[in-house]
Amino acid sequence: MASNTDREMILADFQACTGIENIDEAITLLEQNNWDLVAAINGVIPQENGILQSEYSGDALPNPVFSTAAQTATTAASTSPPSSSTSAFRPVVPSRQIVERLSRMLNFNVEYRDKTADVVLEDSCTVGDIKQILENELQIPASKMLLKGWKSGDVEDSTVLRNLHLPKNNNLYVLTPELQLPSLSSQSSALQESLNKNYMLIITHREVQREYSLNFSGSCTIQEVKRNVYDLTSIPVRHQLWEGWPQSAQDDSMILASSGIDFPCHRLTVSRRTSPVQTREHSEECTDIHMISDSDGDDFEDATEFGVDDGEIFSMSSSSALRKSPMMPENAENEADALLQFTGEFSSRYGDCHPVFFIGSLEGSFQEAFYGKARDRKLLAIYLHHDESVLTNVFCSQMLCAESIVSYLSQNFITWAWDMTKEANRARFLTLCTRHFGSVVAQTVRTQKTDQFPLFLIIMGKRSSNEVLNVIQGNTSVDELMMRLISAMEIFTAQQQEDIKDEDEREARENVKREQDEAYRLSLEADRAKREAQEREIAEQFRLEQIRKEQEEEREAIRLSLEQSLPPEPLEESEPLSKLRIRTPSGEFLERRFLGSSPLQVVLDFVASKGYPCQEFKLISTFPRRDVTQLDPNRSLLDLKLYPQETLFLEAKE
């Protein structure tokens, strides 16, 4: 069995070949044969030498012929070594009886922007044949088309439809990255950019506590991710139990770029379902809805064969809907809790492929849609539900849940919902409507009859108020709904461009003002620093001046003290008498008479009293040259040979 084969497709093909309608019985037989389609078919259908019997008997054929279903299964298993399970498909001798599978007619509903094309082909045709038909219908070159929505992921143009195991009715959509609407070129560019992004999925395998980091492009589908995880964990796709997918990512054919996962990294957890049977019983409603959505055309065809007309089908749907829980509790006080119940009930009724409803108050949705940056703003879509309207089920299931509508709303709108069925909730919304949109809009909603519901209000935020661009009633079609959404989006885009321009200009002005303020602040700081430096310099100069003055005063005091303490100059008649002539550094001479018996200290004090203290100056004699200040100050001038006269020099100490 090929590792990437989807078991649901194998199950559908097995039931088609064997006619077994009981799903549990079919699954049991496939599991007994390890999900080998060929072996399971050979174990159920009577065979003769490995060839399925029928009443048809053809003439001799030049080449061996196989049943189409078996041939498809053989192709899927061609990589496996030969075994007893594949021996049933040996070349057939001409005399054997042969069963040929009749070609099926497949219906394709293809959506492209605001257009829809219906294509009917045999399952023996290829994907390229669909593109050729669409080329004539949509006037788009086949080479420019990307055909999306396949359950098995992206397929080649040469792929035969029969090999895809498709249901009778299929929904596809066309992407044309190279062809863009002029008014929506930026959005198409954004979509193309998201398709080219690489997403890292960090997947935790819960049972073994192992983490895998896998890279996928934005164009990969959720189904392809699950198949890759099957290769890593050996958990079959149908037994995988996931946590972490966004609420909008419930359809396995959805691509990652539009699934709502975080970029560039998103965390997921996978585990194995403990019991497939219990899981099917526990989620019987959801599973039935999901399985029916893949083959809704076959179900309606079968209903017709059994004599059930469309009226009875819709009657049963209506009576079933009446038995459902209310969409929203009556007298809902907390809008967030009410919206949580609304979303859960909507999913249980119409499936998981639906718009992502904003969970919060109406004021909160305004904040989300209108009050961010101009580039991030969106339109607000308010969906008003009414269970008693005959249009509700058709509008929800066929229009609001259409993949093209869901995708467009998720990209360009914030969607908020409210249930108008209960009178108390209706009055609550009308009060909110009057407060936020005015009495005219509230009166418009109030006058709507029950059969005109559901309503879709398209709101655009403006500088001073919120403007209602459109009120869409339930009696519309997918094409008309898409056209009105696109029309509102074009109006919003024009307004958004003006807002972006104004915002950019305002930001430019604010940037200039900020730069000017910053330059002014720096200038003030520089001036303050300069002024403080000047003040410090003045203060330092004043301090030094004070110190200098104090030192001078101290010197002057010492000088005066020394001058007063000097003995009087002796008369010339006195003996012995020494005349000293002292030259100062400025060239002046100090002359004075001293007694020969006077100590050297008297001379030093005399010099100091003239402003030349011995701490700063030295007194030098000529012959012999010596520093007199280094001699004993208590010795007399006679002892020091400074008698009867001597010339000395004052020099500053270094």
Side-chain angles (χ1 to χ4, degrees), residues 429-470:
F429 177 77
L430 291 175
T431 302
L432 294 173
C433 191
T434 303
R435 182 192 310 164
H436 296 292
F437 309 125
S439 58
V440 176
V441 177
Q443 183 62 23
T444 302
V445 176
R446 184 181 288 107
T447 56
Q448 298 292 319
K449 297 180 180 179
T450 300
D451 289 343
Q452 292 175 319
F453 281 86
L455 295 181
F456 222 52
L457 308 182
I458 308 300
I459 315 296
M460 181 175 72
K462 286 197 170 183
R463 296 180 181 87
S464 58
S465 63
N466 300 317
E467 179 181 352
V468 179
L469 295 181
N470 217 329

Side-chain angles (χ1 to χ4, degrees), residues 168-183:
K168 181 177 180 61
N169 292 331
N170 302 271
N171 292 315
L172 304 175
Y173 61 94
V174 173
L175 296 180
T176 54
E178 299 180 14
L179 301 177
Q180 301 179 354
L181 280 173
S183 61

Side-chain angles (χ1 to χ4, degrees), residues 574-587:
S574 301
E575 294 183 1
L577 190 67
S578 177
K579 292 182 180 181
L580 296 181
R581 196 164 180 257
I582 303 170
R583 183 177 180 176
T584 65
S586 62

Side-chain angles (χ1 to χ4, degrees), residues 81-99:
S83 64
S84 59
S85 63
T86 59
S87 62
F89 294 91
R90 296 187 300 270
V92 185
V93 294
S95 61
R96 298 298 181 188
Q97 292 181 330
I98 302 162
V99 173

Side-chain angles (χ1 to χ4, degrees), residues 15 46 172 196 226 230 234 266 271 274 360 442 451 536 652:
Q15 288 182 296
L172 304 175
N196 295 331
K226 292 183 177 181
Y230 171 43
S234 299
H266 189 84
S271 59
T274 55
D451 289 343
R536 286 194 300 269

Side-chain angles (χ1 to χ4, degrees), residues 20 58 77 164-165 190 229 240 256 272 277 292 318 338 348 400 428 453 522 536 540 566 583 593 629 650:
I20 297 176
L164 299 177
H165 306 281
V229 171
Q240 292 174 5
L256 296 181
R272 180 185 290 271
V277 175
I292 289 172
S318 300
S348 66
L400 196 57
R428 172 77 176 277
F453 281 86
L522 294 175
R536 286 194 300 269
E540 181 66 15
L566 283 174
R583 183 177 180 176
R593 296 185 297 275
T629 56
L650 281 171

Side-chain angles (χ1 to χ4, degrees), residues 67 153 225 283 406 603:
S67 78
V225 174
S283 58
V406 172
V603 178

Side-chain angles (χ1 to χ4, degrees), residues 3 81 139 145 229 288 306-307 413 506 535 558 630 650:
S3 60
Q139 301 300 314
M145 294 184 193
V229 171
D288 288 346
F306 284 101
F413 291 78
R506 184 171 60 255
E535 291 174 354
I558 294 172
Q630 298 297 322
L650 281 171

